[in-house]
Amino acid sequence: MNAVGIILAGGNSERLGSLTSLRATAAMPIGSSYRTVDFAISNMSNSGIGKVAVITQYNSRSLHDHLSSAKWWDLGRKHGGLFVFTPFISADNAFWFRGTADSIYQNISFLRRSNEQYVVITSGDTVYKIDYNEMIDEHIRTGADITIMTRNVAEDENENLCVYGVVSQDADGRVTDFEEKPIEPQSRTISLGTYVISRSLLIKLLEAVVEEGRYDFVRDIVERYRRKLKVYAYDYKGYWKSINSIRAYYDVNMDFLKKDIRDIFTRQEPFIETKPKDEPPAKLNTGSEFRNSLLGSGSIINGKVENSVLFRKVVVGDNSHILGSIIMEGCVIGRDCFVENAILDKEVVLSDGKRLVGTIEEPIIIKKRAIVS
Amino acid sequence: MRKKEMIAMLLAGGQGSRLGVLTAEKAKPAVFFGGKYRIIDFPMSNCINSGIDTVGVLTQYQPLSLNQHLGIGIPWDLDRRNGGVTILSPRVKGDTGEWYSGTANAIYQNISFIDEYNPEYVLVLGTDHIYKMDYSEMLAFHKKNKCAATVAVMDVSPEEATRMGILNTEPDGKVYEFEEKPAHPKSTLASMGIYIFTWKKLREALIKDDGIHPDSDFGKHILPMLLADNDTLYAFRYDAYWRDVGTIEAYWDTNMELIKTVPAFNLYDDFCKIYTEEPHQPPLYTGVNSEIQSALISSGCEVYGKVQNSVLGPNVIVDEGAVVIDSIILQNCKIGKNTKLNRVIIDSGSTVGDNVTIGEGDNTPNEEKPNVYFTGISVIAENSVVPPNVQIGKNCVISGVTDSSKYHNNTLLSGGTVTVGGVKI
């Protein structure tokens, strides 16, 4: 593979509220088994990219725990492998990463020491599956300086275009305009935060923008250079969701209940890999009902669960009823509880007879390790 | 090599012939258990949980799946620069090959491997049992008694004692006599096949016994010899969960014990986990019309039908309308629409077509192996195919990719066998 990978996993979204008060968005648990960053890392590894940097900053402890070994993604290698970069203090600087471009610039020796021709940059906050080789081939074919992965958002999709980079392009796919988080989007094509660029050009651009005191990859490189450089759009047609709001997080998890979407990640090779947790098989006891739901291993179910996503080591007591909810790892739900449209963060304890009812638009969120009694 | 205080030698060469077709293509330690595990995961996990980081696994019979499963020991954290897991298969020496002819002979042939680590003690154990044990407690007991060998024992019924190796001991556990399968047992302390030896003593004994018994065995030769030479032997009593899964019936029973609301054997504790190789672990999904009662379901399963009192390994699909009762279905199997299974063991990678019934009929024992298949359980070998619309009785065995031409009138009566591809049942 003639590319190295960079996964930007430093951000958190205020729109995720308490769910990201203790973790980076990239560490958000998805679909009973995964964390968001697993999708980007697996995509890299599955595309044959053997040298991948994950750049973290915000609340990175749980993310680091998850990445403590790279062997699950076949990236535990002598040559290349997985690099995790965090902000550091050095003789000439003592600040956090000032932006995405700065976060790459501060680790520019990773790029300088590589000899691969291209760099694939993606976000650790998105759920999707792609073979980057196709995008790189397209990048070579068009002779682009930067290729941006884009998607056309259909009129009826429940997406707010104003939170994305909006791309206008000509008939050949060359980007004619790019506007980050526009007030009035000029097209329905959005940037998916994944880019292909040659390594030497990226080094040159990073040096140039940081020199000018600019630090953001999207605003200061992609948007600012959109006309000066040859920027092309690569139209991605598969499943893609960014974990940029509570609603989006809820929807992604509920999407995993749909066979056609779940199968993309779990039945169609190559698979998305994650760190194994060595839990025993899930146990469904007499009297339990478990329908149209996902369950992680190590869980014990006595009550009734419908249309929900339950992670590992969840215990649901007798006669409790869970509907349309996301229950994260290690939650214990007592007897006779009723939970509808709720998101229970990890290790929440619900005592007997509790009632939690939210709506799909605004699910009730219970903070990590809360005891609801 | 850095010196190790104790290393473990796992005897994993046995066939387990009473498990019938489940061990046709793999050694008994590689047989799946409890959904996602293999039998060898239990002693392997016990080793790492007891702080033993150097494990030799002695293989002989059908070692391929075992070797693939163990790999370099990643699931057990035994991928080490110093120590870790080493697979020790019989090998050619001089101009002839030499099989392992007995349990002690297998260790004898690997003296040089053990010597590399220069251990004080060697733990020798079988790999046929389901249990959790902290071997470090046994080692502390061994060191306290300053003995040549410590044998783990458990109390069994007088009737069982006639079939096992029995240790007669003083009240403090000091062994004065060892009897293999005694007709009139004097004690009910049976050897569990788990030994700690002081390596210096064992090394001498192995070399000495090799000159006498070419099929040197721990129970038959080494322990009696140590006793005869006035070496001290102690019995270490163990009284927690321990099961032999050496027969189809015991295998089925022990799996089913895990399903009870409060099982006798706890897999759900965080302090003494059992580890296994987990290639790809998506969550399990249950369909809108699924009905699951009393079941152990591994990750990656998709259940659209009904599952009751059963154990499902990873990535099993139970299609709409299928009814699985009192059965064990191992990884990557597919159960077709409206198929009904009752007391069936299906080994990994098999497919059962739509509208099949297995496990209904009289209890005629299997015609070819009546002493293996007689408890009403039908068994389907790994990577087999059962065509749609066939009716299969009890104590039946199916092996290989079968089509309806193999079933007279789409029926296989109880006790029948269908094999394709020449696998021994």
Side-chain angles (χ1 to χ4, degrees):
Chain A
M1 185 60 171
N2 200 11
V4 297
I6 294 177
I7 297 171
L8 301 171
N12 91 307
S13 172
E14 280 167 20
R15 298 172 64 208
L16 283 167
S18 75
L19 294 174
T20 53
S21 66
L22 292 171
R23 63 168 78 80
T25 310
M28 286 294 288
I30 302 282
S32 282
S33 295
Y34 309 100
R35 290 189 184 251
T36 317
V37 75
D38 290 335
F39 295 85
I41 300 180
S42 299
N43 285 338
M44 293 274 180
S45 172
N46 292 338
S47 303
I49 299 177
K51 191 172 183 185
V52 178
V54 178
I55 302 183
T56 72
Q57 168 153 300
Y58 180 85
N59 262 335
S60 52
R61 194 208 56 80
S62 62
L63 191 58
H64 284 203
D65 181 8
H66 187 66
L67 302 177
S68 61
S69 171
K71 53 189 164 189
W72 322 121
W73 300 277
D74 242 351
L75 287 170
R77 299 278 150 220
K78 273 186 172 176
H79 299 285
L82 190 73
F83 295 74
V84 180
F85 293 133
T86 48
F88 52 87
I89 291 175
S90 66
D92 48 358
N93 84 44
F95 30 74
W96 298 102
F97 295 148
R98 291 162 291 188
T100 45
D102 187 44
S103 72
I104 305 174
Y105 176 76
Q106 288 197 31
N107 297 293
I108 203 158
S109 55
F110 169 76
L111 293 173
R112 288 213 180 105
R113 285 179 195 157
S114 300
N115 50 16
E116 287 81 356
Q117 200 174 348
Y118 301 101
V119 183
V120 177
I121 302 172
T122 191
S123 150
D125 303 351
T126 46
V127 174
Y128 70 116
K129 185 163 145 179
I130 191 186
D131 181 352
Y132 295 115
N133 288 296
E134 290 171 20
M135 192 172 163
I136 293 168
D137 288 348
E138 186 76 4
H139 179 80
I140 295 167
R141 193 187 61 78
T142 56
D145 294 314
I146 301 175
T147 299
I148 307 175
M149 191 169 100
T150 59
R151 180 170 84 90
N152 282 309
V153 180
E155 293 284 345
D156 56 350
E157 267 183 81
N158 179 28
E159 284 278 16
N160 176 10
L161 299 182
C162 300
V163 304
Y164 296 102
V166 174
V167 173
S168 304
Q169 53 189 316
D170 65 17
D172 298 333
R174 179 159 180 179
V175 173
T176 53
D177 206 357
F178 184 101
E179 218 185 335
E180 178 68 1
K181 300 195 172 75
I183 298 169
E184 269 182 42
Q186 299 299 306
S187 85
R188 294 199 64 84
T189 305
I190 59 168
S191 161
L192 304 185
T194 297
Y195 314 92
V196 173
I197 181 169
S198 78
R199 190 173 53 87
S200 54
L201 178 63
L202 178 61
I203 292 172
K204 228 163 67 189
L205 289 171
L206 286 171
E207 285 171 342
V209 297
V210 172
E211 179 87 351
E212 295 173 47
R214 296 173 185 271
Y215 304 113
D216 191 69
F217 186 80
V218 176
R219 287 191 190 283
D220 301 325
I221 293 182
V222 180
E223 196 173 25
R224 195 143 175 270
Y225 284 85
R226 67 191 183 276
R227 295 206 176 87
K228 187 158 193 283
L229 295 172
K230 274 174 83 180
V231 180
Y232 274 79
Y234 170 80
D235 183 31
Y236 170 80
K237 292 204 161 56
Y239 181 86
W240 186 92
K241 269 263 164 62
S242 172
I243 311 299
N244 55 14
S245 67
I246 288 170
R247 182 64 204 271
Y249 177 69
Y250 182 85
D251 286 349
V252 167
N253 278 288
M254 292 304 150
D255 279 349
F256 269 78
L257 295 179
K258 297 170 191 154
K259 186 172 171 55
D260 54 335
I261 294 175
R262 186 176 65 244
D263 283 359
I264 298 170
F265 302 106
T266 65
R267 295 269 172 235
Q268 294 161 18
E269 291 194 67
F271 302 129
I272 303 302
E273 299 293 344
T274 189
K275 179 181 177 179
K277 289 285 183 76
D278 295 289
E279 301 299 343
K283 193 156 175 282
L284 292 101
N285 285 330
T286 311
S288 69
E289 281 181 55
F290 201 84
R291 296 210 174 99
N292 189 35
S293 297
L294 286 172
L295 185 58
S297 39
S299 293
I300 301 176
I301 307 298
N302 294 303
K304 185 173 174 182
V305 179
E306 286 172 286
N307 310 328
S308 297
V309 175
L310 275 61
F311 287 75
R312 298 185 188 94
K313 283 173 70 181
V314 171
V315 178
V316 178
D318 288 330
N319 208 25
S320 281
H321 192 173
I322 296 173
L323 273 164
S325 296
I326 299 170
I327 315 284
M328 291 191 209
E329 185 173 333
C331 286
V332 178
I333 293 166
R335 295 160 194 257
D336 307 310
C337 294
F338 183 82
V339 180
E340 186 173 10
N341 299 328
I343 301 175
L344 272 57
D345 206 326
K346 281 170 87 170
E347 292 162 36
V348 165
V349 177
L350 226 60
S351 53
D352 296 352
K354 277 287 133 195
R355 232 182 114 79
L356 295 176
V357 181
T359 62
I360 292 175
E361 286 70 32
E362 263 183 73
I364 285 197
I365 296 177
I366 308 293
K367 277 190 182 173
K368 189 167 173 178
R369 293 202 194 95
I371 296 172
V372 183
S373 59
Chain B
M1 289 290 173
R2 202 184 305 159
K3 180 178 168 65
K4 301 279 179 186
E5 184 184 32
M6 179 161 83
I7 72 168
M9 298 292 276
L10 271 56
L11 301 163
Q15 176 184 1
S17 54
R18 288 174 304 154
L19 282 173
V21 79
L22 295 177
T23 54
E25 300 272 310
K26 53 184 174 283
K28 181 174 165 189
V31 169
F32 291 98
F33 179 81
K36 67 186 282 198
Y37 305 102
R38 296 192 191 237
I39 296 172
I40 197 169
D41 293 334
F42 294 85
M44 287 288 284
S45 303
N46 287 340
C47 281
I48 193 71
N49 289 337
S50 307
I52 299 168
D53 66 1
T54 308
V55 177
V57 181
L58 298 109
T59 62
Q60 176 149 295
Y61 174 82
Q62 290 278 33
L64 181 61
S65 5
L66 201 53
N67 292 354
Q68 285 176 330
H69 179 66
L70 295 173
I72 58 166
I74 289 176
W76 305 272
D77 253 354
L78 284 169
D79 48 328
R80 301 291 172 105
R81 284 164 65 110
N82 202 312
V85 64
T86 307
I87 292 170
L88 302 162
S89 47
R91 42 208 182 266
V92 174
K93 298 176 193 85
D95 44 10
T96 52
E98 204 176 336
W99 295 110
Y100 295 148
S101 56
T103 52
N105 176 269
I107 305 292
Y108 169 79
Q109 292 196 40
N110 288 289
I111 284 178
S112 59
F113 168 79
I114 300 173
D115 278 345
E116 278 181 37
Y117 296 96
N118 188 22
E120 295 296 318
Y121 311 102
V122 174
L123 171 70
V124 177
L125 57 148
T127 48
D128 295 348
H129 298 97
I130 305 300
Y131 67 111
K132 284 184 181 180
M133 182 170 174
D134 185 351
Y135 304 128
S136 66
E137 286 176 15
M138 186 170 163
L139 178 63
F141 179 82
H142 181 85
K143 289 203 281 201
K144 190 186 83 190
N145 294 317
K146 297 189 175 57
C147 49
T150 300
V151 183
V153 295
M154 64 188 306
D155 226 347
V156 296
S157 68
E159 192 253 325
E160 281 175 301
T162 59
R163 296 194 304 265
M164 301 180 81
I166 296 299
L167 289 108
N168 301 322
T169 66
E170 318 268 3
D172 70 341
K174 189 164 187 281
V175 180
Y176 64 85
E177 191 182 17
F178 180 83
E179 291 180 289
E180 187 76 31
K181 297 179 183 154
H184 304 286
K186 290 179 213 149
S187 111
T188 50
L189 293 181
S191 164
M192 297 161 68
I194 302 168
Y195 315 103
I196 289 179
F197 293 99
T198 299
W199 175 230
K200 216 175 110 214
K201 292 279 183 193
L202 176 63
R203 200 178 187 282
E204 284 166 15
L206 289 172
I207 292 168
K208 186 173 160 196
D209 194 59
D210 182 58
I212 308 164
H213 305 105
D215 59 343
S216 186
D217 181 273
F218 282 106
K220 283 195 206 108
H221 310 128
I222 299 291
L223 295 183
M225 185 166 90
L226 287 171
L227 276 175
D229 289 353
N230 285 322
D231 279 312
T232 0
L233 262 70
Y234 268 82
F236 176 76
R237 289 182 78 132
Y238 174 85
D239 52 13
Y241 188 91
W242 188 77
R243 292 284 187 281
D244 180 14
V245 288
T247 64
I248 295 281
E249 180 73 354
Y251 177 80
W252 189 86
D253 282 344
T254 313
N255 270 285
M256 290 302 151
E257 275 183 356
L258 297 173
I259 298 167
K260 300 216 169 94
T261 305
V262 181
F265 187 57
N266 185 8
L267 289 169
Y268 295 80
D269 98 64
D270 271 351
F271 300 98
C272 196
K273 273 191 186 178
I274 303 300
Y275 302 98
T276 188
E277 200 223 357
E278 304 190 57
H280 168 235
Q281 296 278 294
L284 77 90
Y285 175 77
T286 57
V288 180
N289 303 316
S290 70
E291 232 186 292
I292 308 176
Q293 296 275 305
S294 303
L296 217 56
I297 307 204
S298 305
S299 51
C301 287
E302 288 185 23
V303 178
Y304 300 96
K306 182 175 170 182
V307 176
Q308 198 181 318
N309 265 332
S310 297
V311 175
L312 268 56
N315 295 316
V316 169
I317 297 173
V318 177
D319 220 327
E320 297 275 352
V323 179
V324 176
I325 296 174
D326 293 344
S327 295
I328 299 164
I329 303 176
L330 297 165
Q331 65 179 31
N332 303 327
C333 287
K334 283 200 181 102
I335 310 302
K337 288 191 174 67
N338 304 319
T339 284
K340 299 197 169 23
L341 308 178
N342 194 347
R343 279 172 78 88
V344 186
I345 300 171
I346 306 183
D347 205 348
S348 58
S350 295
T351 304
V352 179
D354 298 345
N355 306 312
V356 171
T357 304
I358 309 181
E360 303 223 329
D362 59 64
N363 197 19
T364 314
N366 188 269
E367 282 154 16
E368 294 185 29
K369 289 270 179 75
N371 54 348
V372 175
Y373 313 96
F374 58 91
T375 54
I377 297 165
S378 286
V379 183
I380 298 181
E382 63 182 76
N383 302 321
S384 298
V385 173
V386 176
N389 308 318
V390 294
Q391 313 287 313
I392 297 168
K394 293 178 175 167
N395 301 316
C396 291
V397 182
I398 314 253
S399 170
V401 179
T402 64
D403 56 33
S404 53
S405 69
K406 298 276 173 188
Y407 300 84
H408 184 59
N409 286 337
N410 273 345
T411 304
L412 183 68
L413 294 174
S414 290
T417 299
V418 175
T419 58
V420 174
V423 168
K424 280 207 199 114
I425 64 153

